Amino acid sequence: MPRKAPPPPLTISPPAREYVQMVSQFSGAPDMPKHDAGTQVWLDWIAGVNENIVAAFGARASNSPMEQTQFEIDGVPTYVFTPESVTDSSSAPIYIDVHGGGLTCGAGEACIVLTKGDMVDLPVITWAPDYRMPPLHPYPVGLDDLMAVYRKALDEREPRDILVHGGSAGGNLAAALLLRAKDEGLPMPAALVLATPEVDLTESGDSFVTNDGLDQVLSSLMEANLLYANGHALTDPYISPIFGDLRGFPPTYLMTGTRDLFLSNTVLMHRALRRAGVAAWLNVWDAMSHGGFGGNSSEDQDIKRELTGFARYHLRLNQDTLGS
């Protein structure tokens, strides 16, 4: 069993402290199967996790007035969210949100609630690709799906009018998407957001040891990593983007927390981007585990405000101040 996490510090807001205390009592999801446990075992486990995602994140989903539609891009179901602030849906920027879920979970209704929880309050159209995942569709199927969606976005908008966002496993796929797009000669989007990204499936960073048990939301995903990789090397840059050539990436916003299991992933990705000459901003939140403080704290509001400001600036919706 992971060690017991210490009490939340007084440096964070009361709602954040309440959230840390609450999740410390949570038993978590059922134990992840072994990567070779069999298709049905994995499908049953994924169904249970998706139910938990809908229950946990449904209440945090944006309630802003918007139109929700769905269409297919080369067979990839893609949810489209258009807020009332969009006056011309044919020219509004496209915000591609790549959902998380450990490379195995987050499909269907879970994809919808995860995306609504990540939406920025801007006149942009959000695309949420419901990309395919293991055990039925291991690597590279999900990445292929996202490439199809990105090509479609480039057909409809100039690159400067596209932003790619990915959280957790979605951060892995968002970064891998840009690596592959670059390798295939496609232009980069205006900007990239990596929220506590799972960019190193080898799980080599220091925080996989130091924050094991401190992160009350996340533990090792190695079995899912192996299932996803499907025999390919975990160091393949399209599987672990931190090992890729990041030169030419767009401006990138990264965020994590001091108790996040993916803290090392995030800070090492930030350093790799800086070494590659990419403008990159790293934001680390005190005492935060994977994914934030439940959505109701001042810290969560700060995160959303900064992400919105970053997107606003790089999509040229307001040129006043970066991150304001």
Side-chain angles (χ1 to χ4, degrees):
M1 290 291 291
R3 67 186 186 275
K4 182 177 176 62
L10 296 178
T11 54
I12 60 177
S13 68
R17 291 201 300 273
E18 290 174 11
Y19 178 78
V20 172
Q21 291 170 332
M22 182 272 293
V23 296
S24 69
Q25 307 302 317
F26 179 57
S27 60
D31 289 342
M32 180 178 290
K34 297 295 184 182
H35 68 278
D36 56 358
T39 298
Q40 193 57 52
V41 172
W42 271 98
L43 290 175
D44 291 344
W45 182 83
I46 290 166
V49 174
N50 282 342
E51 288 180 6
N52 290 340
I53 289 172
V54 172
F57 288 87
R60 294 170 56 180
S62 173
N63 292 318
S64 300
M66 71 182 75
E67 177 186 14
Q68 177 181 326
T69 58
Q70 178 181 346
F71 68 110
E72 288 196 357
I73 302 171
D74 289 348
V76 184
T78 303
Y79 303 104
V80 180
F81 303 92
T82 306
E84 286 187 343
S85 58
V86 170
T87 56
D88 183 359
S89 60
S90 66
S91 63
I94 293 175
Y95 189 98
I96 300 175
D97 182 72
V98 186
H99 72 75
L103 299 167
T104 56
C105 305
E109 183 66 21
C111 174
I112 293 173
V113 300
L114 287 170
T115 299
K116 285 186 172 181
D118 287 337
M119 290 181 69
V120 291
D121 186 18
L122 291 172
V124 299
I125 298 173
T126 300
W127 286 10
D130 199 351
Y131 57 90
R132 290 172 291 176
M133 293 178 286
L136 299 178
H137 304 288
Y139 173 84
V141 175
L143 186 55
D144 291 341
D145 287 349
L146 292 170
M147 284 295 297
V149 172
Y150 187 61
R151 289 191 188 96
K152 178 65 172 177
L154 288 172
D155 286 343
E156 298 200 2
R157 298 290 190 276
E158 294 294 326
R160 65 182 186 176
D161 293 323
I162 301 170
L163 184 146
V164 177
H165 171 281
S168 192
N172 173 299
L173 287 159
L177 167 65
L178 296 199
L179 276 175
R180 186 163 149 190
K182 182 166 71 87
D183 289 346
E184 295 186 11
L186 298 176
M188 292 291 95
L192 173 66
V193 173
L194 298 176
T196 179
E198 190 186 5
V199 288
D200 180 4
L201 298 197
T202 72
E203 298 191 350
S204 299
D206 185 55
S207 64
F208 284 97
V209 176
T210 58
N211 282 355
D212 182 25
L214 296 183
D215 190 328
Q216 296 297 300
V217 176
L218 192 65
S219 57
S220 172
L221 300 177
M222 184 54 71
E223 296 300 330
N225 298 348
L226 294 171
L227 181 72
Y228 171 75
N230 193 33
H232 293 82
L234 295 181
T235 53
D236 184 316
Y238 291 166
I239 291 175
S240 293
I242 199 166
F243 298 115
D245 179 0
L246 305 176
R247 289 175 295 179
F249 262 44
T252 303
Y253 180 102
L254 304 98
M255 59 154 284
T256 183
T258 59
R259 297 191 182 189
D260 184 6
L261 195 72
F262 290 170
L263 171 62
S264 288
N265 276 350
T266 312
V267 299
L268 291 171
M269 186 67 172
H270 172 254
R271 183 49 43 197
L273 287 162
R274 293 292 296 270
R275 280 198 300 268
V278 178
W281 292 263
L282 173 64
N283 296 266
V284 183
W285 300 87
D286 195 35
M288 191 176 82
S289 291
H290 189 68
F293 290 110
N296 296 315
S297 70
S298 59
E299 290 86 350
D300 290 302
Q301 294 167 13
D302 286 345
I303 290 168
K304 183 59 67 73
R305 182 168 54 251
E306 290 199 0
L307 288 175
T308 300
F310 177 84
R312 179 191 299 119
Y313 180 86
H314 288 286
L315 290 171
R316 308 171 336 281
L317 296 169
N318 182 327
Q319 294 283 11
D320 290 347
T321 308
L322 176 60
S324 66

PDB file of all heavy atoms in Angstrom, residues 12 15-16 19-20 22-23 57 60 195-196 215-217 255-257 259-260 285-297 299-301 303:
ATOM      1  N   ILE A  12      -2.214  26.502   1.000  1.00  0.00           N
ATOM      2  CA  ILE A  12      -3.262  26.405  -0.021  1.00  0.00           C
ATOM      3  C   ILE A  12      -4.590  26.834   0.574  1.00  0.00           C
ATOM      4  O   ILE A  12      -4.756  26.918   1.791  1.00  0.00           O
ATOM      5  CB  ILE A  12      -3.341  24.987  -0.624  1.00  0.00           C
ATOM      6  CG1 ILE A  12      -3.661  23.940   0.458  1.00  0.00           C
ATOM      7  CG2 ILE A  12      -2.022  24.640  -1.311  1.00  0.00           C
ATOM      8  CD1 ILE A  12      -3.822  22.518  -0.097  1.00  0.00           C
ATOM      9  N   PRO A  15     -10.737  25.477   0.464  1.00  0.00           N
ATOM     10  CA  PRO A  15     -11.342  24.445  -0.391  1.00  0.00           C
ATOM     11  C   PRO A  15     -10.321  23.440  -0.917  1.00  0.00           C
ATOM     12  O   PRO A  15     -10.623  22.249  -1.044  1.00  0.00           O
ATOM     13  CB  PRO A  15     -11.963  25.251  -1.528  1.00  0.00           C
ATOM     14  CG  PRO A  15     -12.211  26.599  -0.958  1.00  0.00           C
ATOM     15  CD  PRO A  15     -11.063  26.833  -0.027  1.00  0.00           C
ATOM     16  N   ALA A  16      -9.115  23.909  -1.219  1.00  0.00           N
ATOM     17  CA  ALA A  16      -8.073  22.987  -1.678  1.00  0.00           C
ATOM     18  C   ALA A  16      -7.680  22.023  -0.564  1.00  0.00           C
ATOM     19  O   ALA A  16      -7.485  20.820  -0.801  1.00  0.00           O
ATOM     20  CB  ALA A  16      -6.863  23.763  -2.175  1.00  0.00           C
ATOM     21  N   TYR A  19     -10.298  19.421  -0.221  1.00  0.00           N
ATOM     22  CA  TYR A  19     -10.217  18.437  -1.298  1.00  0.00           C
ATOM     23  C   TYR A  19      -9.104  17.435  -1.025  1.00  0.00           C
ATOM     24  O   TYR A  19      -9.294  16.221  -1.187  1.00  0.00           O
ATOM     25  CB  TYR A  19      -9.987  19.149  -2.629  1.00  0.00           C
ATOM     26  CG  TYR A  19      -9.839  18.191  -3.797  1.00  0.00           C
ATOM     27  CD1 TYR A  19     -10.956  17.584  -4.370  1.00  0.00           C
ATOM     28  CD2 TYR A  19      -8.582  17.887  -4.320  1.00  0.00           C
ATOM     29  CE1 TYR A  19     -10.817  16.695  -5.428  1.00  0.00           C
ATOM     30  CE2 TYR A  19      -8.439  17.003  -5.375  1.00  0.00           C
ATOM     31  CZ  TYR A  19      -9.566  16.414  -5.930  1.00  0.00           C
ATOM     32  OH  TYR A  19      -9.422  15.533  -6.969  1.00  0.00           O
ATOM     33  N   VAL A  20      -7.933  17.919  -0.604  1.00  0.00           N
ATOM     34  CA  VAL A  20      -6.816  17.022  -0.311  1.00  0.00           C
ATOM     35  C   VAL A  20      -7.199  16.046   0.798  1.00  0.00           C
ATOM     36  O   VAL A  20      -6.911  14.838   0.724  1.00  0.00           O
ATOM     37  CB  VAL A  20      -5.564  17.826   0.064  1.00  0.00           C
ATOM     38  CG1 VAL A  20      -4.456  16.894   0.564  1.00  0.00           C
ATOM     39  CG2 VAL A  20      -5.069  18.641  -1.121  1.00  0.00           C
ATOM     40  N   MET A  22     -10.230  15.099   1.568  1.00  0.00           N
ATOM     41  CA  MET A  22     -11.277  14.208   1.068  1.00  0.00           C
ATOM     42  C   MET A  22     -10.698  13.079   0.239  1.00  0.00           C
ATOM     43  O   MET A  22     -11.008  11.906   0.447  1.00  0.00           O
ATOM     44  CB  MET A  22     -12.301  15.008   0.261  1.00  0.00           C
ATOM     45  CG  MET A  22     -13.474  14.185  -0.281  1.00  0.00           C
ATOM     46  SD  MET A  22     -13.160  13.434  -1.898  1.00  0.00           S
ATOM     47  CE  MET A  22     -13.078  14.897  -2.932  1.00  0.00           C
ATOM     48  N   VAL A  23      -9.827  13.421  -0.707  1.00  0.00           N
ATOM     49  CA  VAL A  23      -9.311  12.371  -1.583  1.00  0.00           C
ATOM     50  C   VAL A  23      -8.367  11.436  -0.843  1.00  0.00           C
ATOM     51  O   VAL A  23      -8.170  10.295  -1.274  1.00  0.00           O
ATOM     52  CB  VAL A  23      -8.611  12.949  -2.833  1.00  0.00           C
ATOM     53  CG1 VAL A  23      -9.591  13.697  -3.704  1.00  0.00           C
ATOM     54  CG2 VAL A  23      -7.433  13.818  -2.462  1.00  0.00           C
ATOM     55  N   PHE A  57     -16.623  13.879 -12.667  1.00  0.00           N
ATOM     56  CA  PHE A  57     -16.371  15.085 -13.440  1.00  0.00           C
ATOM     57  C   PHE A  57     -17.635  15.720 -14.003  1.00  0.00           C
ATOM     58  O   PHE A  57     -17.586  16.855 -14.472  1.00  0.00           O
ATOM     59  CB  PHE A  57     -15.394  14.792 -14.589  1.00  0.00           C
ATOM     60  CG  PHE A  57     -13.985  14.566 -14.137  1.00  0.00           C
ATOM     61  CD1 PHE A  57     -13.559  13.311 -13.751  1.00  0.00           C
ATOM     62  CD2 PHE A  57     -13.085  15.617 -14.078  1.00  0.00           C
ATOM     63  CE1 PHE A  57     -12.259  13.095 -13.326  1.00  0.00           C
ATOM     64  CE2 PHE A  57     -11.780  15.414 -13.653  1.00  0.00           C
ATOM     65  CZ  PHE A  57     -11.369  14.150 -13.266  1.00  0.00           C
ATOM     66  N   ARG A  60     -18.411  18.998 -12.515  1.00  0.00           N
ATOM     67  CA  ARG A  60     -17.440  20.055 -12.798  1.00  0.00           C
ATOM     68  C   ARG A  60     -17.541  20.565 -14.227  1.00  0.00           C
ATOM     69  O   ARG A  60     -16.867  21.518 -14.589  1.00  0.00           O
ATOM     70  CB  ARG A  60     -16.032  19.519 -12.566  1.00  0.00           C
ATOM     71  CG  ARG A  60     -15.741  19.180 -11.128  1.00  0.00           C
ATOM     72  CD  ARG A  60     -14.427  18.430 -10.973  1.00  0.00           C
ATOM     73  NE  ARG A  60     -13.295  19.147 -11.529  1.00  0.00           N
ATOM     74  CZ  ARG A  60     -12.052  18.694 -11.503  1.00  0.00           C
ATOM     75  NH1 ARG A  60     -11.788  17.524 -10.946  1.00  0.00           N
ATOM     76  NH2 ARG A  60     -11.061  19.398 -12.034  1.00  0.00           N
ATOM     77  N   ALA A 195      -1.253  19.750 -19.725  1.00  0.00           N
ATOM     78  CA  ALA A 195      -1.647  19.771 -18.319  1.00  0.00           C
ATOM     79  C   ALA A 195      -1.260  18.444 -17.682  1.00  0.00           C
ATOM     80  O   ALA A 195      -1.824  17.406 -18.012  1.00  0.00           O
ATOM     81  CB  ALA A 195      -3.152  20.015 -18.191  1.00  0.00           C
ATOM     82  N   THR A 196      -0.261  18.492 -16.798  1.00  0.00           N
ATOM     83  CA  THR A 196       0.303  17.314 -16.140  1.00  0.00           C
ATOM     84  C   THR A 196       0.384  16.132 -17.095  1.00  0.00           C
ATOM     85  O   THR A 196      -0.266  15.108 -16.930  1.00  0.00           O
ATOM     86  CB  THR A 196      -0.474  16.980 -14.837  1.00  0.00           C
ATOM     87  OG1 THR A 196       0.074  15.817 -14.232  1.00  0.00           O
ATOM     88  CG2 THR A 196      -1.959  16.822 -15.057  1.00  0.00           C
ATOM     89  N   ASP A 215       0.590  11.467  -4.202  1.00  0.00           N
ATOM     90  CA  ASP A 215      -0.466  11.762  -5.166  1.00  0.00           C
ATOM     91  C   ASP A 215      -1.645  10.860  -4.824  1.00  0.00           C
ATOM     92  O   ASP A 215      -1.584   9.636  -4.982  1.00  0.00           O
ATOM     93  CB  ASP A 215       0.021  11.493  -6.592  1.00  0.00           C
ATOM     94  CG  ASP A 215      -0.952  12.003  -7.648  1.00  0.00           C
ATOM     95  OD1 ASP A 215      -2.172  11.987  -7.386  1.00  0.00           O
ATOM     96  OD2 ASP A 215      -0.489  12.403  -8.732  1.00  0.00           O
ATOM     97  N   GLN A 216      -2.714  11.473  -4.344  1.00  0.00           N
ATOM     98  CA  GLN A 216      -3.877  10.707  -3.899  1.00  0.00           C
ATOM     99  C   GLN A 216      -4.841  10.377  -5.037  1.00  0.00           C
ATOM    100  O   GLN A 216      -5.878   9.764  -4.817  1.00  0.00           O
ATOM    101  CB  GLN A 216      -4.609  11.488  -2.803  1.00  0.00           C
ATOM    102  CG  GLN A 216      -3.792  11.674  -1.546  1.00  0.00           C
ATOM    103  CD  GLN A 216      -3.446  10.368  -0.876  1.00  0.00           C
ATOM    104  OE1 GLN A 216      -4.307   9.598  -0.480  1.00  0.00           O
ATOM    105  NE2 GLN A 216      -2.147  10.087  -0.773  1.00  0.00           N
ATOM    106  N   VAL A 217      -4.493  10.791  -6.245  1.00  0.00           N
ATOM    107  CA  VAL A 217      -5.353  10.552  -7.396  1.00  0.00           C
ATOM    108  C   VAL A 217      -4.772   9.482  -8.310  1.00  0.00           C
ATOM    109  O   VAL A 217      -5.503   8.675  -8.893  1.00  0.00           O
ATOM    110  CB  VAL A 217      -5.570  11.866  -8.184  1.00  0.00           C
ATOM    111  CG1 VAL A 217      -6.380  11.630  -9.453  1.00  0.00           C
ATOM    112  CG2 VAL A 217      -6.251  12.901  -7.295  1.00  0.00           C
ATOM    113  N   MET A 255       1.552  22.617 -16.829  1.00  0.00           N
ATOM    114  CA  MET A 255       1.175  22.765 -15.432  1.00  0.00           C
ATOM    115  C   MET A 255       1.232  21.414 -14.723  1.00  0.00           C
ATOM    116  O   MET A 255       1.044  20.360 -15.314  1.00  0.00           O
ATOM    117  CB  MET A 255      -0.209  23.367 -15.279  1.00  0.00           C
ATOM    118  CG  MET A 255      -1.331  22.586 -15.922  1.00  0.00           C
ATOM    119  SD  MET A 255      -2.933  22.862 -15.148  1.00  0.00           S
ATOM    120  CE  MET A 255      -2.768  21.887 -13.647  1.00  0.00           C
ATOM    121  N   THR A 256       1.517  21.481 -13.403  1.00  0.00           N
ATOM    122  CA  THR A 256       1.594  20.299 -12.566  1.00  0.00           C
ATOM    123  C   THR A 256       1.479  20.743 -11.113  1.00  0.00           C
ATOM    124  O   THR A 256       1.210  21.918 -10.833  1.00  0.00           O
ATOM    125  CB  THR A 256       2.925  19.549 -12.823  1.00  0.00           C
ATOM    126  OG1 THR A 256       2.963  18.355 -12.045  1.00  0.00           O
ATOM    127  CG2 THR A 256       4.133  20.414 -12.468  1.00  0.00           C
ATOM    128  N   GLY A 257       1.660  19.818 -10.177  1.00  0.00           N
ATOM    129  CA  GLY A 257       1.622  20.137  -8.759  1.00  0.00           C
ATOM    130  C   GLY A 257       2.733  19.419  -8.022  1.00  0.00           C
ATOM    131  O   GLY A 257       3.296  18.439  -8.519  1.00  0.00           O
ATOM    132  N   ARG A 259       2.599  17.460  -5.551  1.00  0.00           N
ATOM    133  CA  ARG A 259       2.267  16.079  -5.186  1.00  0.00           C
ATOM    134  C   ARG A 259       1.854  15.244  -6.393  1.00  0.00           C
ATOM    135  O   ARG A 259       1.435  14.095  -6.235  1.00  0.00           O
ATOM    136  CB  ARG A 259       1.150  16.058  -4.137  1.00  0.00           C
ATOM    137  CG  ARG A 259       1.532  16.708  -2.823  1.00  0.00           C
ATOM    138  CD  ARG A 259       0.515  16.429  -1.729  1.00  0.00           C
ATOM    139  NE  ARG A 259       0.877  17.109  -0.492  1.00  0.00           N
ATOM    140  CZ  ARG A 259       0.272  16.907   0.680  1.00  0.00           C
ATOM    141  NH1 ARG A 259      -0.731  16.049   0.766  1.00  0.00           N
ATOM    142  NH2 ARG A 259       0.666  17.554   1.750  1.00  0.00           N
ATOM    143  N   ASP A 260       1.987  15.787  -7.567  1.00  0.00           N
ATOM    144  CA  ASP A 260       1.586  15.104  -8.800  1.00  0.00           C
ATOM    145  C   ASP A 260       2.586  13.998  -9.135  1.00  0.00           C
ATOM    146  O   ASP A 260       3.792  14.233  -9.180  1.00  0.00           O
ATOM    147  CB  ASP A 260       1.533  16.141  -9.929  1.00  0.00           C
ATOM    148  CG  ASP A 260       1.042  15.593 -11.247  1.00  0.00           C
ATOM    149  OD1 ASP A 260       0.615  14.424 -11.305  1.00  0.00           O
ATOM    150  OD2 ASP A 260       1.072  16.354 -12.231  1.00  0.00           O
ATOM    151  N   TRP A 285       1.893  23.966  -8.827  1.00  0.00           N
ATOM    152  CA  TRP A 285       0.988  24.379  -7.765  1.00  0.00           C
ATOM    153  C   TRP A 285       1.279  23.585  -6.498  1.00  0.00           C
ATOM    154  O   TRP A 285       1.399  22.357  -6.528  1.00  0.00           O
ATOM    155  CB  TRP A 285      -0.463  24.187  -8.211  1.00  0.00           C
ATOM    156  CG  TRP A 285      -0.759  25.004  -9.422  1.00  0.00           C
ATOM    157  CD1 TRP A 285      -0.571  24.647 -10.724  1.00  0.00           C
ATOM    158  CD2 TRP A 285      -1.234  26.348  -9.452  1.00  0.00           C
ATOM    159  NE1 TRP A 285      -0.905  25.678 -11.556  1.00  0.00           N
ATOM    160  CE2 TRP A 285      -1.325  26.740 -10.812  1.00  0.00           C
ATOM    161  CE3 TRP A 285      -1.609  27.263  -8.466  1.00  0.00           C
ATOM    162  CZ2 TRP A 285      -1.766  27.994 -11.193  1.00  0.00           C
ATOM    163  CZ3 TRP A 285      -2.052  28.515  -8.852  1.00  0.00           C
ATOM    164  CH2 TRP A 285      -2.126  28.870 -10.200  1.00  0.00           C
ATOM    165  N   ASP A 286       1.358  24.299  -5.396  1.00  0.00           N
ATOM    166  CA  ASP A 286       1.719  23.686  -4.128  1.00  0.00           C
ATOM    167  C   ASP A 286       0.663  22.676  -3.686  1.00  0.00           C
ATOM    168  O   ASP A 286      -0.545  22.956  -3.713  1.00  0.00           O
ATOM    169  CB  ASP A 286       1.879  24.770  -3.050  1.00  0.00           C
ATOM    170  CG  ASP A 286       2.598  24.270  -1.818  1.00  0.00           C
ATOM    171  OD1 ASP A 286       3.503  23.428  -1.960  1.00  0.00           O
ATOM    172  OD2 ASP A 286       2.263  24.715  -0.700  1.00  0.00           O
ATOM    173  N   ALA A 287       1.138  21.496  -3.280  1.00  0.00           N
ATOM    174  CA  ALA A 287       0.319  20.436  -2.677  1.00  0.00           C
ATOM    175  C   ALA A 287      -0.713  19.830  -3.626  1.00  0.00           C
ATOM    176  O   ALA A 287      -1.552  19.058  -3.189  1.00  0.00           O
ATOM    177  CB  ALA A 287      -0.384  20.937  -1.414  1.00  0.00           C
ATOM    178  N   MET A 288      -0.623  20.150  -4.905  1.00  0.00           N
ATOM    179  CA  MET A 288      -1.620  19.650  -5.850  1.00  0.00           C
ATOM    180  C   MET A 288      -1.235  18.263  -6.352  1.00  0.00           C
ATOM    181  O   MET A 288      -0.120  18.040  -6.800  1.00  0.00           O
ATOM    182  CB  MET A 288      -1.769  20.597  -7.038  1.00  0.00           C
ATOM    183  CG  MET A 288      -2.960  20.272  -7.926  1.00  0.00           C
ATOM    184  SD  MET A 288      -3.186  21.483  -9.270  1.00  0.00           S
ATOM    185  CE  MET A 288      -1.990  20.876 -10.473  1.00  0.00           C
ATOM    186  N   SER A 289      -2.174  17.333  -6.250  1.00  0.00           N
ATOM    187  CA  SER A 289      -2.027  16.026  -6.869  1.00  0.00           C
ATOM    188  C   SER A 289      -2.426  16.118  -8.338  1.00  0.00           C
ATOM    189  O   SER A 289      -2.695  17.205  -8.857  1.00  0.00           O
ATOM    190  CB  SER A 289      -2.888  14.992  -6.135  1.00  0.00           C
ATOM    191  OG  SER A 289      -2.388  14.736  -4.835  1.00  0.00           O
ATOM    192  N   HIS A 290      -2.470  15.000  -8.996  1.00  0.00           N
ATOM    193  CA  HIS A 290      -2.790  14.951 -10.415  1.00  0.00           C
ATOM    194  C   HIS A 290      -4.190  15.513 -10.668  1.00  0.00           C
ATOM    195  O   HIS A 290      -5.166  15.064 -10.076  1.00  0.00           O
ATOM    196  CB  HIS A 290      -2.718  13.497 -10.887  1.00  0.00           C
ATOM    197  CG  HIS A 290      -2.814  13.323 -12.360  1.00  0.00           C
ATOM    198  ND1 HIS A 290      -1.830  13.748 -13.224  1.00  0.00           N
ATOM    199  CD2 HIS A 290      -3.781  12.773 -13.142  1.00  0.00           C
ATOM    200  CE1 HIS A 290      -2.179  13.452 -14.462  1.00  0.00           C
ATOM    201  NE2 HIS A 290      -3.352  12.870 -14.441  1.00  0.00           N
ATOM    202  N   GLY A 291      -4.274  16.525 -11.526  1.00  0.00           N
ATOM    203  CA  GLY A 291      -5.581  16.983 -11.999  1.00  0.00           C
ATOM    204  C   GLY A 291      -6.204  18.144 -11.270  1.00  0.00           C
ATOM    205  O   GLY A 291      -7.299  18.562 -11.638  1.00  0.00           O
ATOM    206  N   GLY A 292      -5.571  18.681 -10.234  1.00  0.00           N
ATOM    207  CA  GLY A 292      -6.133  19.868  -9.598  1.00  0.00           C
ATOM    208  C   GLY A 292      -6.726  19.594  -8.238  1.00  0.00           C
ATOM    209  O   GLY A 292      -6.467  18.578  -7.594  1.00  0.00           O
ATOM    210  N   PHE A 293      -7.589  20.536  -7.793  1.00  0.00           N
ATOM    211  CA  PHE A 293      -8.169  20.481  -6.458  1.00  0.00           C
ATOM    212  C   PHE A 293      -9.689  20.323  -6.491  1.00  0.00           C
ATOM    213  O   PHE A 293     -10.395  20.817  -5.620  1.00  0.00           O
ATOM    214  CB  PHE A 293      -7.820  21.749  -5.675  1.00  0.00           C
ATOM    215  CG  PHE A 293      -6.366  21.851  -5.292  1.00  0.00           C
ATOM    216  CD1 PHE A 293      -5.541  22.792  -5.880  1.00  0.00           C
ATOM    217  CD2 PHE A 293      -5.825  21.002  -4.337  1.00  0.00           C
ATOM    218  CE1 PHE A 293      -4.203  22.905  -5.524  1.00  0.00           C
ATOM    219  CE2 PHE A 293      -4.485  21.095  -3.970  1.00  0.00           C
ATOM    220  CZ  PHE A 293      -3.669  22.046  -4.568  1.00  0.00           C
ATOM    221  N   GLY A 294     -10.195  19.648  -7.498  1.00  0.00           N
ATOM    222  CA  GLY A 294     -11.625  19.356  -7.529  1.00  0.00           C
ATOM    223  C   GLY A 294     -12.485  20.384  -8.222  1.00  0.00           C
ATOM    224  O   GLY A 294     -13.689  20.192  -8.359  1.00  0.00           O
ATOM    225  N   GLY A 295     -11.896  21.515  -8.638  1.00  0.00           N
ATOM    226  CA  GLY A 295     -12.620  22.484  -9.441  1.00  0.00           C
ATOM    227  C   GLY A 295     -13.230  23.644  -8.681  1.00  0.00           C
ATOM    228  O   GLY A 295     -13.711  24.600  -9.305  1.00  0.00           O
ATOM    229  N   ASN A 296     -13.228  23.611  -7.351  1.00  0.00           N
ATOM    230  CA  ASN A 296     -13.925  24.649  -6.582  1.00  0.00           C
ATOM    231  C   ASN A 296     -13.006  25.545  -5.765  1.00  0.00           C
ATOM    232  O   ASN A 296     -13.476  26.370  -4.989  1.00  0.00           O
ATOM    233  CB  ASN A 296     -14.935  23.988  -5.633  1.00  0.00           C
ATOM    234  CG  ASN A 296     -16.025  23.251  -6.382  1.00  0.00           C
ATOM    235  OD1 ASN A 296     -16.573  23.761  -7.349  1.00  0.00           O
ATOM    236  ND2 ASN A 296     -16.334  22.033  -5.932  1.00  0.00           N
ATOM    237  N   SER A 297     -11.711  25.408  -5.930  1.00  0.00           N
ATOM    238  CA  SER A 297     -10.774  26.201  -5.136  1.00  0.00           C
ATOM    239  C   SER A 297     -10.315  27.426  -5.906  1.00  0.00           C
ATOM    240  O   SER A 297     -10.459  27.515  -7.135  1.00  0.00           O
ATOM    241  CB  SER A 297      -9.556  25.349  -4.767  1.00  0.00           C
ATOM    242  OG  SER A 297      -8.777  25.084  -5.922  1.00  0.00           O
ATOM    243  N   GLU A 299      -7.286  28.046  -6.360  1.00  0.00           N
ATOM    244  CA  GLU A 299      -6.214  27.547  -7.215  1.00  0.00           C
ATOM    245  C   GLU A 299      -6.762  27.060  -8.557  1.00  0.00           C
ATOM    246  O   GLU A 299      -6.183  27.333  -9.619  1.00  0.00           O
ATOM    247  CB  GLU A 299      -5.458  26.415  -6.519  1.00  0.00           C
ATOM    248  CG  GLU A 299      -4.617  26.858  -5.343  1.00  0.00           C
ATOM    249  CD  GLU A 299      -5.379  26.924  -4.026  1.00  0.00           C
ATOM    250  OE1 GLU A 299      -6.631  26.804  -4.039  1.00  0.00           O
ATOM    251  OE2 GLU A 299      -4.724  27.102  -2.985  1.00  0.00           O
ATOM    252  N   ASP A 300      -7.871  26.331  -8.524  1.00  0.00           N
ATOM    253  CA  ASP A 300      -8.489  25.874  -9.774  1.00  0.00           C
ATOM    254  C   ASP A 300      -8.915  27.056 -10.634  1.00  0.00           C
ATOM    255  O   ASP A 300      -8.770  27.037 -11.864  1.00  0.00           O
ATOM    256  CB  ASP A 300      -9.709  24.992  -9.476  1.00  0.00           C
ATOM    257  CG  ASP A 300      -9.325  23.647  -8.878  1.00  0.00           C
ATOM    258  OD1 ASP A 300      -8.567  22.913  -9.517  1.00  0.00           O
ATOM    259  OD2 ASP A 300      -9.809  23.334  -7.780  1.00  0.00           O
ATOM    260  N   GLN A 301      -9.438  28.084  -9.979  1.00  0.00           N
ATOM    261  CA  GLN A 301      -9.843  29.283 -10.724  1.00  0.00           C
ATOM    262  C   GLN A 301      -8.638  29.975 -11.336  1.00  0.00           C
ATOM    263  O   GLN A 301      -8.690  30.454 -12.480  1.00  0.00           O
ATOM    264  CB  GLN A 301     -10.600  30.221  -9.788  1.00  0.00           C
ATOM    265  CG  GLN A 301     -11.929  29.666  -9.299  1.00  0.00           C
ATOM    266  CD  GLN A 301     -12.509  30.460  -8.151  1.00  0.00           C
ATOM    267  OE1 GLN A 301     -12.065  31.569  -7.848  1.00  0.00           O
ATOM    268  NE2 GLN A 301     -13.502  29.891  -7.477  1.00  0.00           N
ATOM    269  N   ILE A 303      -5.848  28.494 -12.248  1.00  0.00           N
ATOM    270  CA  ILE A 303      -5.424  27.640 -13.362  1.00  0.00           C
ATOM    271  C   ILE A 303      -6.270  27.920 -14.595  1.00  0.00           C
ATOM    272  O   ILE A 303      -5.740  28.121 -15.699  1.00  0.00           O
ATOM    273  CB  ILE A 303      -5.514  26.154 -12.967  1.00  0.00           C
ATOM    274  CG1 ILE A 303      -4.440  25.813 -11.925  1.00  0.00           C
ATOM    275  CG2 ILE A 303      -5.373  25.253 -14.195  1.00  0.00           C
ATOM    276  CD1 ILE A 303      -4.637  24.456 -11.272  1.00  0.00           C
TER     277      ILE A 303
END
